Amino acid sequence: MSHTNAEITEGIRAKAAELLSSGEVAVFLGFIEGSIPMTLRPFVARRPEDAERFVWNSFCVMNLANYLPSLLKSLEPPRGLRDPVPAGPLPKVGVVATGCWSRNIVVQMQERQVDRKRLVILGVSSRGMVDRKKVMAMTGGREIFKVEEGEHTLKISGSDYGLEIDRWSVVRDNCKSCVHPDPVIFDYKIGPDSNRKADDRFAQIEVIEAMTVDERWAWFKNEIASCIRCYACRNACPLCYCPTCFVDDSRPQWVGKSIDPTDTALFHILRAFHCAGRCTDCGACESACPMGIKMRLFTKKLEKDVFELFGVEAGLDPLIQPPLVTYRPDDPQGFVIIKEKNKA
């Protein structure tokens, strides 16, 4: 383990144990080792001794904010869907948050899915998380038995081979284009600040924008062609907490449930627009996708549009509303298509 990851791991374990021992939080949400290499899994610690299981490394790719709304409700007295929140004080949850995860917590606060008073946030600056699919591609498909992370390298070993690669070469695309690696809200800070900032955050989108309309449509259809509609992207998304998702609704049925290309395209387009002005480009959707679809580029395009049209980035200020739920008289309207009446 690198000394930076070791420092952060020890910091998380110590603070989580302290918070659980004092009763300041009822549970603490972090990561523990998974059952196969390059996978960590979210874990809810309920006792101080559970905190010793927490770990931190470059494979903490799932966004922990995704679990907060349901975890907070699980600690409340039982109530109906439309019943008011019980009177406090209610149990608190401790959680680890990087830059994008903390921005998702802010979005959840803006949308009243979580109460800041019930959260104790341990901020961790992200060094960039590793894309396990990139690592697997570098081994030529050979099975990986073990991965050891150094400060700037990954040592990979299998049954008949060993390989050392540069860590940054396999960092996720969203982390390489990140401009907010440090947490925007926290109660305690663990580990060093990040000193990195992407030069061109929208470079991938500009390549697609340079295509013709037909080329863009062909790129989109090719990208989603392998989708099996498993909804892993939706389930990993910290923005998906509608009581009934539009893909599950049957009255009315907004979108077909098959893998017909039209149904699949409609699902991805609607999901992307649902995240407009809210997505923080955490990359959890792509990391969860078993088919390797680059669907974060869909939401990244909308992130770029919202930034250019409204000058707003998701999750930076808990005191303002997301841009698409508010209105200003001077809002840009150039994208509105106005059909002229029949001319004489």
Side-chain angles (χ1 to χ4, degrees):
M1 180 182 289
S2 73
H3 63 77
T4 301
N5 288 340
E7 176 188 347
I8 295 172
T9 296
E10 288 306 311
I12 292 172
R13 290 175 177 175
K15 182 54 71 176
E18 176 188 323
L19 292 170
L20 288 165
S21 296
S22 66
E24 184 173 349
V25 301
V27 298
F28 192 94
L29 180 59
F31 285 98
I32 62 173
E33 293 284 359
S35 56
I36 58 176
M38 299 189 292
T39 59
L40 273 71
R41 58 191 177 95
F43 176 70
V44 177
R46 300 178 187 278
R47 305 171 302 169
E49 53 267 37
D50 292 338
E52 278 301 306
R53 300 180 62 185
F54 285 132
V55 294
W56 184 263
N57 61 34
S58 292
F59 299 100
C60 299
V61 296
M62 290 293 103
N63 189 332
L64 294 179
N66 184 36
Y67 307 95
L68 287 178
S70 58
L71 186 55
L72 286 166
K73 287 175 184 171
S74 74
L75 299 172
E76 300 171 1
R79 61 187 170 104
L81 186 63
R82 299 185 184 281
D83 292 339
V85 177
L90 295 169
K92 294 183 179 180
V93 172
V95 62
V96 178
T98 61
C100 52
W101 306 350
S102 68
R103 290 172 60 202
N104 278 118
I105 293 173
V106 169
V107 174
Q108 292 174 346
M109 291 163 55
Q110 292 170 328
E111 298 180 348
R112 301 185 180 181
Q113 295 300 310
V114 301
D115 181 352
R116 178 68 178 92
K117 296 177 183 176
R118 293 185 60 197
L119 298 176
V120 178
I121 302 171
L122 265 63
V124 176
S125 295
S126 173
R127 301 172 63 230
M129 299 301 174
V130 166
D131 184 342
R132 63 191 299 268
K133 296 185 181 79
K134 288 185 179 180
V135 177
M136 294 169 71
M138 296 185 77
T139 67
R142 291 175 291 181
E143 186 175 6
I144 297 173
F145 286 178
K146 187 176 182 181
V147 175
E148 297 177 78
E149 182 178 353
E151 200 63 24
H152 301 293
T153 60
L154 295 178
K155 290 183 178 179
I156 305 163
S157 57
S159 60
D160 58 350
Y161 72 95
L163 185 65
E164 182 169 315
I165 61 176
D166 175 66
R167 193 191 77 90
W168 188 253
S169 69
V170 289
V171 163
R172 299 191 304 172
D173 292 340
N174 64 304
C175 294
K176 287 188 173 181
S177 62
C178 177
V179 294
H180 299 290
D182 297 312
V184 298
I185 53 169
F186 57 87
D187 297 291
Y188 304 96
K189 181 71 166 47
I190 304 292
D193 291 340
S194 173
N195 294 315
R196 64 184 179 87
K197 193 169 185 178
D199 295 329
D200 190 352
R201 61 195 298 189
F202 298 121
Q204 287 181 292
I205 302 304
E206 289 164 355
V207 171
I208 299 169
E209 288 177 333
M211 300 177 183
T212 66
V213 172
D214 289 341
E215 289 172 338
R216 287 201 298 270
W217 182 239
W219 171 83
F220 175 72
K221 288 196 297 182
N222 180 65
E223 196 61 47
I224 64 171
S226 60
C227 180
I228 56 176
R229 301 284 297 277
C230 67
Y231 302 137
C233 53
R234 176 198 66 178
N235 295 344
C237 180
L239 303 175
C240 289
Y241 33 68
C242 295
T244 303
C245 178
F246 73 94
V247 299
D248 297 325
D249 218 346
S250 57
R251 291 184 179 180
Q253 184 171 332
W254 302 104
V255 56
K257 302 181 185 304
S258 73
I259 55 172
D260 177 89
T262 300
D263 289 338
T264 302
L266 189 58
F267 161 65
H268 282 286
I269 291 170
L270 288 177
R271 194 191 81 83
F273 274 92
H274 190 46
C275 297
R278 306 166 66 224
C279 179
T280 64
D281 198 26
C282 73
C285 52
E286 274 194 13
S287 294
C289 180
M291 307 308 291
I293 298 171
K294 296 185 179 302
M295 74 275 291
R296 61 164 277 275
L297 294 180
F298 311 156
T299 48
K300 188 72 175 176
K301 163 61 177 168
L302 295 173
E303 176 191 338
K304 180 173 182 287
D305 287 350
V306 169
F307 182 62
E308 291 177 347
L309 287 168
F310 303 101
V312 174
E313 296 179 84
L316 293 183
D317 187 348
L319 300 180
I320 66 170
Q321 290 296 308
L324 299 191
V325 300
T326 60
Y327 171 77
R328 295 183 319 203
D330 61 343
D331 276 345
Q333 300 186 55
F335 59 93
V336 178
I337 300 174
I338 301 175
K339 187 176 181 180
E340 296 184 11
K341 293 182 179 179
N342 293 335
K343 295 182 179 179

